[in-house]
Amino acid sequence: MSTFYEVQERDGEFHVIDIRPDDSQADNTSVVSYATRQEAESEAKRLNENSLG
């Protein structure tokens, strides 16, 4: 499975980052942020699974 979204910690928040090479946004664009790493990793996994189509 390809990874298009990953989690990065910034200032105590956990951000789901869009790392697709064809993304028109600037590098490391935060898609959404969460208070816990578990929430962010769950969302990144969901987004990656949905990106397979």
Side-chain angles (χ1 to χ4, degrees):
M1 174 171 68
S2 297
T3 300
F4 298 114
Y5 300 90
E6 65 182 24
V7 175
Q8 290 183 358
E9 183 178 2
R10 296 182 185 169
D11 301 322
E13 291 184 331
F14 297 93
H15 295 260
V16 178
I17 305 299
D18 184 345
I19 59 169
R20 293 176 293 178
D22 63 338
D23 181 23
S24 62
Q25 301 294 321
D27 288 345
N28 298 331
T29 300
S30 179
V31 176
V32 66
S33 64
Y34 292 94
T36 67
R37 179 175 291 278
Q38 182 178 1
E39 290 174 307
E41 288 178 347
S42 177
E43 179 66 5
K45 180 180 178 183
R46 186 187 72 76
L47 289 169
N48 281 319
E49 289 171 351
N50 289 341
S51 295
L52 295 177

